[in-house]
């Protein structure tokens, strides 16, 4: 005996073809949008911006960590300056500025 559940009417076949055409049209439209030059450029820009944001975020964290570590060398936990470390650094800085000023004065003569 033949199985009659697989037999479709012409109307059912036409409806199936129409539905498949609509799905295919949607798929082609989506492919067209994806391969459009503006879409490709927009995606590339978004990726670059994302990478830059990520890199800048990492750089910010690294700089913030370095500043915190340097600050910890010159300030105690209560926020008071550590004079035993601040004074020698200040003296060295003043000495360097003085040497640079002397060098500049000597060149002008």
């Amino acid at each position: 005996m033949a199985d009659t559940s697989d037999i479709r009417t012409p109307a059912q076949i036409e409806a199936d073809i129409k539905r498949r055409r609509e799905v295919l049209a949607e798929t082609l439209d989506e492919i067209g949008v994806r391969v459009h030059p503006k879409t490709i450029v927009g995606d590339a820009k978004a990726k670059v911006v994302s990478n830059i944001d990520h890199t800048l975020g990492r750089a910010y964290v690294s700089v913030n960590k370095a500043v915190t570590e340097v600050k910890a060398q010159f300030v105690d936990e209560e926020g008071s300056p550590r004079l035993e470390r601040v004074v020698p650094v200040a003296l060295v800085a003043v000495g360097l500025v003085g040497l640079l000023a002397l060098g500049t004065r000597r060149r002008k003569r």
Side-chain angles (χ1 to χ4, degrees):
M1 274 180 55
D3 186 12
T4 58
S5 63
D6 288 342
I7 300 174
R8 298 186 304 164
T9 65
Q12 290 172 327
I13 294 171
E14 287 177 12
D16 188 37
I17 291 171
K18 182 180 178 186
R19 183 182 52 78
R20 288 181 188 225
R21 279 185 184 156
E22 290 171 357
V23 170
L24 182 59
E26 288 176 14
T27 303
L28 290 174
D29 288 344
E30 185 177 327
I31 290 171
V33 169
R34 286 185 184 182
V35 300
H36 193 277
K38 286 184 180 180
T39 303
I40 293 170
V41 169
D43 290 347
K45 284 181 183 178
K47 190 172 185 176
V48 168
V49 168
S50 174
N51 287 339
I52 289 172
D53 285 347
H54 180 71
T55 302
L56 289 176
R58 288 177 52 193
Y60 175 80
V61 169
S62 297
V63 168
N64 192 26
K65 181 180 177 187
V67 168
T68 302
E69 289 173 359
V70 169
K71 182 179 174 185
Q73 297 296 316
F74 298 101
V75 178
D76 62 17
E77 294 80 20
E78 297 170 0
S80 301
R82 294 181 176 180
L83 294 180
E84 71 277 2
R85 293 186 180 172
V86 172
V87 171
V89 171
L91 290 174
V92 169
V94 168
L96 287 174
V97 169
L99 287 174
L100 290 173
L102 283 175
T104 303
R105 283 181 71 189
R106 287 187 181 167
R107 277 191 237 141
K108 287 183 179 180
R109 287 185 186 180

